[in-house]
Amino acid sequence: MLCCRSHPSAVKNCQVSHHSEPVPEFVKNNDDADAQLSHDKALFKRPLKNKDCPICFLLLPEATSGKSTATLQFPCCGKIICRGCDYALFIEGDETSCPFCRSTLSNNGDDCVNLLRKRTERNDPAAMFELGTCYFTGELGVSIDQSKGLELWLRAGELGLATAYMNIGLIYKQGRGVEKDETKSKYYYELAAMGGNVRARHHLGWLETVAHNIERATRHYLIAAEGGNLNSVMTIEEFFSRGLVTKSEYKQALRAYQEYIDEVKSEQRDKAAAYDESYSYLAE
């Protein structure tokens, strides 16, 4: 049907070449109290919400599961819509062209890659991310070049696409083709979280939980709950049952999560999720 899908996490079976990008000084040595305070101020600042779907005008859901493709991006013009509108246009309906630029949509991989390359040349971070993902996975007939894929993800992150930083953090966490590096992994998770990526925020909460820094973990989980991350809500529930957080904090998480659901829920999106579970807007 459509030739370009959003890839919230495209690191399955990836092996990338080592990339020697520098790590900022505060990551190497964060003993300086002033630097740490400044860093934390930026880290725990509430990120901006996602944009609205340009068709239904409901908040675009955050894809917080590696199985979720809760949004669809058109390779021709880069516009992003929710899966509810995708379902209405292309599955229930018989639309065959982009509803924005009216380009004919193609299932041909070469056509899609050419469109992604053109938008990448215009410094479109979403196109860079998609093209980088193709280099990692070999999708759309692209020859695997994981070093090139990492380079594109880094450029996409620098241009503001938080999901790219999230994926880079994941490959350093798992050591998939790069030398496993927990410091770099956390650094990229932090960049992603500050950019609004909810999965990265939850990962940071988990890292602080493992380190027994419950206060910092809770701050991360509360922000993630605002972005619809159910796992963060469940973790705070577990904290509450153990007396690690207050009743007020637990209520805050529940209220924030419900407010998110109220913003993204729609009958059309429910139909899309019933058609394909990967289209679900409910975050794991």
Side-chain angles (χ1 to χ4, degrees):
M1 183 183 62
L2 297 181
C3 57
C4 188
R5 303 286 177 177
S6 295
H7 298 281
S9 176
V11 296
K12 185 178 181 181
N13 298 324
C14 287
Q15 291 187 343
V16 298
S17 302
H18 181 65
H19 191 92
S20 58
E21 70 281 359
V23 178
E25 289 301 319
F26 76 77
V27 177
K28 298 176 183 177
N29 184 356
N30 60 3
D31 292 334
D32 186 275
D34 290 338
Q36 185 63 43
L37 285 172
S38 178
H39 175 59
D40 281 359
K41 183 178 180 180
L43 179 61
F44 290 107
K45 181 179 179 180
R46 257 56 177 182
L48 296 175
K49 287 186 176 181
N50 277 354
K51 296 179 180 180
D52 292 342
C53 173
I55 295 179
C56 66
F57 300 109
L58 294 176
L59 182 71
L60 283 170
E62 174 73 26
T64 60
S65 163
K67 298 178 182 179
S68 171
T69 55
T71 59
L72 171 71
Q73 182 178 50
F74 292 97
C76 43
C77 60
K79 294 289 187 181
I80 297 174
I81 64 173
C82 72
R83 285 298 187 181
C85 292
D86 171 23
Y87 179 83
L89 287 169
F90 302 103
I91 299 173
E92 283 191 331
D94 57 1
E95 185 64 67
T96 59
S97 60
C98 172
F100 302 100
C101 69
R102 307 311 300 172
S103 297
T104 300
L105 298 173
S106 171
N107 287 322
N108 183 279
D110 289 340
D111 291 342
C112 294
V113 171
N114 288 335
L115 290 170
L116 291 175
R117 292 190 193 281
K118 288 179 180 178
R119 285 173 40 223
T120 294
E121 291 172 0
R122 296 196 292 267
N123 288 326
D124 182 330
M128 289 177 188
F129 177 71
E130 293 286 354
L131 186 57
T133 298
C134 290
Y135 276 114
F136 273 114
T137 63
E139 291 184 62
L140 302 180
V142 174
S143 297
I144 292 178
D145 185 341
Q146 293 150 343
S147 178
K148 180 66 174 178
L150 180 56
E151 178 186 338
L152 286 166
W153 277 0
L154 284 166
R155 287 175 59 196
E158 290 166 359
L159 290 172
L161 192 68
T163 304
Y165 281 143
M166 162 64 206
N167 279 18
I168 296 171
L170 189 58
I171 62 174
Y172 276 114
K173 173 70 175 179
Q174 298 176 342
R176 290 182 177 270
V178 296
E179 184 177 350
K180 193 172 183 178
D181 192 318
E182 297 286 350
T183 299
K184 283 188 176 182
S185 175
K186 185 178 181 181
Y187 168 58
Y188 285 110
Y189 281 158
E190 288 183 341
L191 289 180
M194 288 187 282
N197 186 277
V198 178
R199 292 184 67 210
R201 182 69 67 178
H202 178 77
H203 281 310
L204 290 174
W206 173 248
L207 291 175
E208 297 293 358
T209 301
V210 172
H212 303 290
N213 297 323
I214 301 303
E215 187 272 335
R216 290 178 66 85
T218 300
R219 293 174 72 183
H220 282 304
Y221 290 139
L222 286 173
I223 295 174
E226 293 175 6
N229 189 276
L230 182 57
N231 282 335
S232 290
V233 178
M234 294 173 67
T235 302
I236 290 180
E237 181 178 37
E238 177 67 19
F239 281 1
F240 177 64
S241 70
R242 298 186 181 188
L244 299 176
V245 299
T246 66
K247 185 175 183 179
S248 176
E249 289 172 320
Y250 178 38
K251 285 184 175 180
Q252 180 183 345
L254 292 174
R255 185 167 53 250
Y257 180 74
Q258 187 58 53
E259 288 175 355
Y260 170 84
I261 295 301
D262 290 343
E263 285 194 85
V264 299
K265 184 177 179 62
S266 77
E267 181 180 353
Q268 200 63 50
R269 290 177 180 182
D270 287 339
K271 286 183 179 180
Y275 171 78
D276 187 330
E277 64 178 9
S278 71
Y279 292 179
S280 176
Y281 56 85
L282 296 177
E284 295 179 2

